[in-house]
Amino acid sequence: MVTKRIPLRKCAGCGQMKPKKELIRVIRTADGAIEIDATGRKNGRGVYLCPDPECFRKAEKNKGLEHSLKASVPEEVYRQLEEEIKRIGQ
Ligand SMILES: [Zn+2]
C-alpha cells in the first residue's frame, strides 16, 4: 500500500485544514490584482478557501484575505470573488 502525502492547506474562512485541491486559491498578483487562481500554478501570495460562500463570508468578516494577502481588498473585489466562488461551489 502506498500512502501519498496530501498537501493540506487551511481555509481562511472556517480555519479547517483540507487537501489543497479541494480548496480555491485566491492570489495577489505581482501587479496587485486579487483573483482566483483556478490552475493553482500562478505566482503570487495566495490564500485558500473552501468552495463555499459561507467560508468566503467568514473570511471577509475576519479579514482573513487581507491578512494572508497583506493587502486591502476593495468591496467590489470581494463581490466579484464571491460570485466566482458561488459558481465554482455549485
Ligand atoms: Zn472553509
Side-chain angles (χ1 to χ4, degrees):
M1 206 175 87
V2 182
T3 36
K4 270 194 198 163
R5 262 176 206 275
I6 302 167
L8 294 176
R9 293 293 181 273
K10 192 174 166 185
C11 168
C14 63
Q16 281 186 55
M17 300 293 289
K18 292 196 174 177
K20 205 172 150 184
K21 59 181 179 194
E22 288 178 19
L23 297 169
I24 293 170
R25 185 169 183 246
V26 177
I27 58 153
R28 179 159 68 93
T29 63
D31 46 8
I34 293 162
E35 57 191 38
I36 287 176
D37 174 16
T39 63
R41 290 165 180 276
K42 286 185 193 168
N43 287 323
R45 184 173 280 279
V47 57
Y48 291 86
L49 283 167
C50 302
D52 182 345
E54 195 58 41
C55 286
F56 183 79
R57 280 192 288 271
K58 280 184 197 159
E60 183 178 359
K61 230 182 204 173
N62 68 21
K63 304 264 178 209
L65 294 188
E66 270 106 334
H67 283 300
S68 300
L69 298 173
K70 301 207 187 301
S72 62
V73 181
E75 173 72 21
E76 71 257 29
V77 172
Y78 268 122
R79 299 286 72 81
Q80 198 186 318
L81 293 174
E82 189 177 20
E83 282 310 305
E84 289 186 52
I85 286 170
K86 275 184 192 160
R87 267 209 308 273
I88 294 166
Q90 270 164 10

